[in-house]
Amino acid sequence: MSEPQTLPFTTVTGENYPRTLHGYRVEDVDRDVTAMRTRIDNLNQYAAQLADRNTTLQEQIDKLAEENRQLADQAAQAAKRQANPYRALGDDAQHIIDTAKRQADDTTTAATRKADRIIQNAHDKADKIINDARARLDKEEQQINAKRAEADRQAEQAAQALARARKALQAALDGLKA
């Protein structure tokens, strides 16, 4: 588990995006946005790995703490047995019940943490899918609008050419009639 690579540039300046007739070059901006998205995805994966490792370590800490409690209980029980062997039987039974309850609680807590992490990861992935789809939709709409504007321009030019041709034909007809 290693930290993901850094972006290919450290700062965004005007030098990264030379101006063109209508703003910035789309290729330059798209390249850097793609690099940033990749970096964000890598960092999210790294964070998820760290969260998994943290959960694993916390579970190990919980397990060791439980083992420590059990050893302390066993030492206390051994001391009681030496003092009163019959009373220790009841204490042993209570200890077994307490241990079972703690283990059940620990298992439930660990499962809840893992379920919460899985749900959060699913929400994050869903948000990413939705955001990517919206970005693609915006890009497609921009392309459609650009094509629509080009088609309108060409239709206007065709209408003007048709009007000129009509005038020329009308002038030719008028010349033939005269």
Side-chain angles (χ1 to χ4, degrees):
M1 174 173 56
S2 63
E3 184 176 351
Q5 297 291 323
T6 59
L7 290 174
F9 53 88
T10 56
T11 59
V12 176
T13 66
E15 295 168 5
N16 295 87
Y17 306 107
R19 291 191 59 85
T20 62
L21 181 60
H22 297 288
Y24 297 107
R25 285 185 28 188
V26 174
E27 299 85 21
D28 293 340
V29 174
D30 285 348
R31 179 195 66 234
D32 289 346
V33 167
T34 299
M36 286 182 211
R37 282 187 180 159
T38 300
R39 174 71 171 147
I40 289 168
D41 290 344
N42 289 341
L43 288 173
N44 284 336
Q45 289 174 357
Y46 183 61
Q49 290 171 351
L50 289 176
D52 289 342
R53 181 69 178 146
N54 187 42
T55 300
T56 301
L57 292 173
Q58 185 59 49
E59 289 169 357
Q60 289 175 353
I61 288 170
D62 293 345
K63 183 178 177 183
L64 291 172
E66 177 59 28
E67 288 175 12
N68 190 34
R69 281 192 299 266
Q70 289 175 356
L71 289 174
D73 288 347
Q74 288 173 0
Q77 293 301 323
K80 286 181 183 179
R81 276 190 202 108
Q82 288 176 350
N84 184 349
Y86 296 108
R87 182 160 188 243
L89 291 176
D91 291 341
D92 286 345
Q94 185 60 46
H95 173 70
I96 291 170
I97 292 169
D98 292 343
T99 301
K101 285 180 182 178
R102 276 194 304 271
Q103 287 175 346
D105 290 345
D106 292 347
T107 301
T108 302
T109 301
T112 301
R113 274 191 241 151
K114 191 168 188 173
D116 289 345
R117 193 173 66 253
I118 289 169
I119 290 169
Q120 184 59 45
N121 287 342
H123 284 296
D124 292 346
K125 286 179 183 178
D127 289 345
K128 184 184 180 312
I129 290 168
I130 289 169
N131 289 337
D132 288 348
R134 284 182 180 149
R136 284 193 304 268
L137 178 63
D138 289 346
K139 190 173 184 178
E140 292 292 327
E141 285 177 349
Q142 288 173 354
Q143 290 175 350
I144 288 169
N145 289 337
K147 288 179 182 180
R148 185 176 289 144
E150 179 61 22
D152 289 347
R153 187 188 60 77
Q154 289 176 356
E156 180 62 31
Q157 288 176 345
Q160 290 173 357
L162 182 60
R164 285 192 299 272
R166 281 188 181 151
K167 284 183 183 178
L169 284 174
Q170 187 62 44
L173 272 174
D174 290 345
L176 287 175
K177 287 182 184 178

